[in-house]
Amino acid sequence: MIGSGQGEFPSAPHQTVTASHGSTVYVAGRDVTITHPPAPVPGMEAVREPARLLRVPDVPGSFVGRQAELARLDAAVTSSGGRGRIVLHGLGGSGKSTVAARFAELHAGRFAPRWWINADSPAAVEAGLARLAVALAPETAGLRLEQLVELAVHWLGSHDGWLLVLDNLTHLADASVLLDRVKNGTVLITSRTSGGWGGATTVAVGVLPRAKALRLLTRVVREHWPKPDLTDGKQLCAELGWLPLAIRQAGAYLGQTRTVPTAYLKLLAEFPARMFTATAENDTERTIARVWHVTLNRLTNTPLAGHLLRRLAWCAPDDIPRWLFTPGGEGGVPDPDVIDAFGRLAAYSMITLDAEAVRVHRLVQAVSRTPDDDPHRRAEDIADARDATTINLAGALHGHNPIDPATWPRFRTLLPHARALVDHATPESDTPATCQLINSVSQYLLDQGDPTTTIAYLTRATASLARLRGHTHHDTLMSRNNLARCHETAGDLKRAIELYEQVIADIERVSGPDHPAALTPRNNLAGAYLATGDFGRAIPLMEKTLADRERVLGPDHPETLTTRNNLAYAHQAAGDPRRAIPLLRSALADRERVLGSNHPETLTTRNNLAYAHQMAGELRHAIPQFEATVTATEQVLGNDHPDTLRNRNNLALAYQAAGDLDRALPLLRQNLADSERVLGSDHPTTINSRNSLGRACVAVDPGQAFTLVKTALADSERVLGPDHPNTLTIRGNLAGMLVSSGRPDLAVTVLSAVLKQHERVLGPDHPDTVTLRSNLDGLTRK
């Protein structure tokens, strides 16, 4: 019996039916599937390229320069017979891709096809090859990716005369599917990595020449702003390090927003993080911040690379010593992890490396030390890098005497990096190490004749130490004392005296009047009184300081001997050489006994004694003393030490005072040449040597004499300032030369101006002021 209701159908068997044209029909139950046979794979060696097959980015109309790079590319292609592998490498943003596109554009009749592949990953290379296969044989569009790649490689391997650009390739292995098999045609690679390219010809792409950079900025701006104001455009290009992408980015911003370069520079200084990512509309992918972010992403497996780059960001761009990053400093054993990280940064063109030093593009530095949301630029990481660099620089200068010429090579090497760090870091971020670094650099700069920078630096260090350690901390007080000494050296005696007096008052208030810490600023204050001609305060204070130092430190302590020497010199400056000479003899004997006859401070006292004899008119005693001092200084300190140069100058002036120009002039000429060679043309010692030679040769060659003294005056005004005592002295010498050359009217004009400056700067009662007034009165009465 058959029951009511609906029963279940049995499963239908699969059926296969061959249809017309070779199609196959698959039947499964109620489902029907029809498949078509694969398209026939063409023989790619027989496929000719379609007419004018081209896939290359347009070259911006603003393109400028790069003739040298294009010429090297052309030469490489020619020498390879059209079967070359050429790598354009450089920092991200240097314009490698644009150069490659320009080369393809210029050689349209030389290559067919010209095909461009984004090669930043193996997958991207395969995708680009697949597109090439379809462009060559459109009927292959339905094939699988691996088939298309195979067809493209086969076509390239069987044809010549083509140009394939692999843009932004990192490693040869990323394009091995092509490069391992295809040896003909021209492959032009652009990459941020500079090495690992086997036998390929490499062409470096650096920054633009200055004139071309400004032309690029002008063209980009005018695309949006036909008549722009590009005042300070060259300065903007310099700030951007002449890097093409940065210049394009800035130019587009200027043009769209109608912003002048001067304003952009201010924005860059005030809002760097924002400006590094600011660009024209629809161009947000091509900014320096984004380009370098991608590069650093590829270095994440070397974490030290990012840290080192952030540390390098606080140095000057060029000649950063590699030993700064070596444990133990110069002469230490390099850290292999640091070596590896430097190598990877160099490979990606983020730095330039040689055996001794590192160079970094200044804009890479600016971006690297600017905090942002970028994980490579976290604020705490940047601060850590700044502090680490500060500690390294401070430690590298610690214990090195800045007035010792043997240390000058180290100071000269590290000075640009110390200055860069201090200038880029804010005072609010200063640490004790920053203040230590500033103090070391300031002592060197002061001795090298740069009191202006020294004053600015020590003013900052003093304020930072007061914030960090308190206003009455020993380090703060000593920093203020050093600042006072800078003002004294710069000729601002009024400010120097104010600071010295404040330091002494603070020490005595906190620690009592007999505290040893007060002795040094008290000695310095007495010297400042002496410089103003205030002998009534200078000599009693020196006498008190000497007594205190003898009591607190002992009669033979070096600082006690220094004060004894200074007291003798004060009597000499006060016009009392008869009293100064016995004191200097006693001071010399003490220094010889305690320090030795050839100690530099002993030689200083011997020089002072010789000068006192000269001031007393006793040249028969002065000259032998000067000669002995010069000989000893040469033996102890060397022929090129600043003390040697100064002592030799004093000896020559003593010869001149004795009327012996035959010995004076050759010595002065040689001394000036040595000073220029050793210290530089702008060092105060060199300026004084030039002035001394001019004064000495006025009787034999007036024309040369006036040229030398005028040059010395101009240099002193520029380097030390118009009111510096050294400048006033040279200006007074010039007036004296005018008198001796028979030009009293002009001399009166010059002397009148010099007298007014002396009265204003040194005071009406200073000995030099009194002498000038007397000389002027004598001239006007004639």
Side-chain angles (χ1 to χ4, degrees), residues 97-299:
S97 300
T98 307
V99 173
R102 178 61 171 165
F103 179 78
E105 179 184 75
L106 290 172
H107 296 279
R110 186 176 190 176
F111 301 109
R114 292 167 288 155
W115 194 258
W116 191 282
I117 293 178
N118 171 27
D120 60 3
S121 68
V125 173
E126 291 182 347
L129 289 171
R131 280 191 289 269
L132 173 61
V134 173
L136 291 166
E139 66 273 21
T140 65
L143 296 179
R144 296 190 305 275
L145 174 67
E146 58 269 22
Q147 291 178 294
L148 292 172
V149 170
E150 181 65 26
L151 291 175
V153 170
H154 185 66
W155 189 92
L156 291 169
S158 58
H159 291 76
D160 284 312
W162 46 262
L163 172 66
L164 182 67
V165 179
L166 299 179
D167 187 41
N168 205 18
L169 185 68
T170 302
H171 305 292
L172 283 173
D174 291 348
S176 60
V177 67
L178 167 73
L179 298 177
D180 288 351
R181 297 170 55 193
V182 176
K183 305 302 179 184
N184 52 323
T186 298
V187 178
L188 177 55
I189 297 168
T190 75
S191 182
R192 297 171 194 175
T193 58
S194 58
W197 299 112
T201 300
T202 58
V203 177
V205 180
V207 298
L208 283 170
R210 298 185 178 191
K212 299 293 175 58
L214 182 59
R215 190 183 306 170
L216 173 62
L217 178 70
T218 303
R219 288 184 178 181
V220 173
V221 174
R222 285 178 176 168
E223 289 175 357
H224 306 276
W225 186 8
K227 294 182 179 180
D229 175 4
L230 292 180
T231 304
D232 289 334
K234 184 180 294 186
Q235 183 180 349
L236 174 56
C237 290
E239 188 66 24
L240 298 174
W242 321 102
L243 189 70
L245 175 58
I247 293 171
R248 288 186 182 280
Q249 179 181 337
Y253 183 90
L254 296 181
Q256 273 205 353
T257 62
R258 301 298 195 268
T259 302
V260 297
T262 307
Y264 189 93
L265 284 164
K266 293 178 181 177
L267 289 169
L268 196 59
E270 187 69 23
F271 308 104
R274 182 168 179 176
M275 299 312 294
F276 290 144
T277 56
T279 184
E281 193 173 351
N282 301 323
D283 195 23
T284 56
E285 294 300 312
R286 294 293 295 169
T287 67
I288 52 175
R290 186 178 294 272
V291 166
W292 294 334
H293 169 86
V294 172
T295 300
L296 291 172
N297 276 348
R298 292 175 178 169
L299 291 169

Side-chain angles (χ1 to χ4, degrees), residues 595-612:
L595 303 175
S597 58
N598 288 331
H599 191 280
E601 292 182 7
T602 304
L603 298 179
T604 297
T605 303
R606 186 177 293 141
N607 178 78
N608 292 345
L609 176 58
Y611 188 68

Side-chain angles (χ1 to χ4, degrees), residues 427-639:
E428 293 76 20
S429 68
D430 286 351
T431 64
T434 312
C435 300
Q436 178 187 335
L437 176 63
I438 289 175
N439 183 66
S440 296
V441 168
S442 296
Q443 290 183 60
Y444 173 76
L445 289 173
L446 184 64
D447 187 66
Q448 295 293 311
D450 188 359
T452 302
T453 303
T454 305
I455 288 170
Y457 277 6
L458 282 178
T459 299
R460 169 172 168 173
T462 301
S464 294
L465 284 170
R467 172 177 56 82
L468 293 167
R469 293 184 168 169
H471 290 274
T472 58
H473 189 277
H474 176 268
D475 291 349
T476 307
L477 295 172
M478 289 303 99
S479 180
R480 202 185 310 157
N481 172 77
N482 293 341
L483 176 58
R485 189 167 65 88
C486 291
H487 282 289
E488 181 180 354
T489 304
D492 190 352
L493 297 171
K494 180 180 178 182
R495 180 59 179 154
I497 289 171
E498 290 174 352
L499 286 170
Y500 283 136
E501 290 175 339
Q502 289 172 7
V503 170
I504 294 168
D506 286 342
I507 294 174
E508 292 179 345
R509 175 172 51 82
V510 174
S511 305
D514 292 333
H515 195 277
L519 299 178
T520 296
R522 195 181 296 150
N523 179 77
N524 294 342
L525 175 60
Y529 287 152
L530 182 65
T532 65
D534 190 348
F535 306 115
R537 286 200 291 179
I539 291 176
L541 183 56
M542 282 188 181
E543 291 173 337
K544 182 180 185 326
T545 303
L546 177 59
D548 289 342
R549 278 187 160 168
E550 288 177 335
R551 174 174 52 81
V552 175
L553 302 176
D556 290 340
H557 191 280
E559 292 182 10
T560 304
L561 301 181
T562 296
T563 303
R564 195 173 293 137
N565 174 82
N566 294 347
L567 176 59
Y569 178 78
H571 285 293
Q572 175 186 318
D576 191 358
R578 297 298 176 187
R579 187 169 183 184
I581 288 172
L583 288 173
L584 283 167
R585 284 177 178 157
S586 176
L588 177 59
D590 289 338
R591 277 188 158 167
E592 287 178 332
R593 175 175 53 81
V594 175
L595 303 175
S597 58
N598 288 331
H599 191 280
E601 292 182 7
T602 304
L603 298 179
T604 297
T605 303
R606 186 177 293 141
N607 178 78
N608 292 345
L609 176 58
Y611 188 68
H613 281 299
Q614 182 177 344
M615 293 298 98
E618 299 174 350
L619 288 171
R620 69 185 186 280
H621 296 303
I623 289 176
Q625 195 73 255
F626 276 129
E627 290 174 335
T629 303
V630 169
T631 300
T633 308
E634 289 174 341
Q635 291 174 349
V636 175
L637 301 177
N639 291 332

Side-chain angles (χ1 to χ4, degrees), residues 322-339 342:
R322 292 181 66 163
W323 57 259
L324 270 178
F325 306 89
T326 297
E330 195 171 16
V333 179
D335 183 340
D337 290 337
V338 172
I339 294 174
F342 272 150

